[in-house]
Amino acid sequence: YINDRGINPEIAKHFKLKIVKHNFPDSRLHECLAIPLPNGKNKYRYIDPVSDSRFHQDAGSIMCLFKTSEPQENEKVYLCEGEIDAIRIFQETGYSAWTVSTGAESYNEKFFQEFATDFKGKKVILSMDRDLAGDNAAETSAIILGKENCDRLVPPIEVGKDWSDFF
């Protein structure tokens, strides 16, 4: 699955990605991609989705900012909609790509207040998915961060809705 998502072994090792069996809330074990989060918990991407939910986090997990790297001075930050997209942007370009661990709907006032120091003085490239949730997240983010501090970048429509599709 990691290979199928275009993540090379060196990058998978760097981010400590691994395939595991995880108990979904239906009490059955399912094959998942485990993504370690900065809050010390894991986020799981179900490889064999069993419901509308494709993701699950460890109990007690709180919203956090997943960063592939810290940007160099005057470097832009690519803010996207998921850890896999952030990892692919970083892998393919070397650019700093960040995402919130709890989905597009979490790009709100509370999120940006909590992580204000992380974004202070940064030029942000809003790289959310090409869909309604991504458009809403980008619009909200631009309003909160200041439109002068943001640009919007989406993959060309013919390649898909997100950066994993693009690369």
Side-chain angles (χ1 to χ4, degrees):
Y1 178 81
I2 295 171
N3 239 8
D4 292 344
R5 297 298 292 179
I7 299 170
N8 72 44
E10 181 181 299
I11 293 292
K13 185 177 179 181
H14 174 78
F15 289 103
K16 300 179 172 106
L17 303 177
K18 50 188 158 176
I19 302 299
V20 299
K21 294 282 188 182
H22 181 69
N23 235 358
F24 192 72
D26 68 1
S27 299
R28 295 185 338 215
L29 286 176
H30 295 275
E31 192 171 42
C32 306
L33 171 63
I35 305 167
L37 298 174
N39 64 12
K41 304 289 186 177
N42 282 320
K43 181 174 182 178
Y44 301 95
R45 166 57 161 99
Y46 290 94
I47 296 170
D48 58 340
V50 293
S51 73
D52 290 341
S53 176
R54 297 176 308 170
F55 296 95
H56 181 75
Q57 294 191 32
D58 284 332
S61 186
I62 58 171
M63 175 177 66
C64 62
L65 184 59
F66 179 92
K67 299 178 179 183
T68 59
S69 64
E70 288 293 337
Q72 301 298 314
E73 192 173 332
N74 298 320
E75 184 182 64
K76 299 171 183 169
V77 171
Y78 288 73
L79 190 60
C80 56
E81 206 172 312
E83 293 82 6
I84 294 171
D85 285 346
I87 290 167
R88 287 300 307 276
I89 289 171
F90 175 76
Q91 173 183 286
E92 302 302 329
T93 67
Y95 298 145
S96 295
W98 299 354
T99 190
V100 63
S101 63
T102 49
E105 299 80 25
S106 296
Y107 288 115
N108 56 37
E109 192 77 40
K110 179 183 177 204
F111 167 78
F112 287 108
Q113 284 174 354
E114 187 165 334
F115 298 103
T117 57
D118 293 280
F119 288 96
K120 187 174 181 163
K122 307 257 185 330
K123 179 73 171 178
V124 179
I125 307 301
L126 302 171
S127 307
M128 288 81 167
D129 291 358
R130 180 190 287 282
D131 59 15
L132 183 59
D135 291 341
N136 289 340
E139 185 176 327
T140 300
S141 300
I143 289 167
I144 294 169
L145 292 171
K147 292 184 180 193
E148 67 281 0
N149 298 317
C150 301
D151 288 318
R152 176 82 162 116
L153 182 66
V154 292
I157 197 162
E158 61 272 5
V159 297
K161 73 171 194 153
D162 65 29
W163 294 102
S164 292
D165 295 337
F166 177 77
F167 294 118

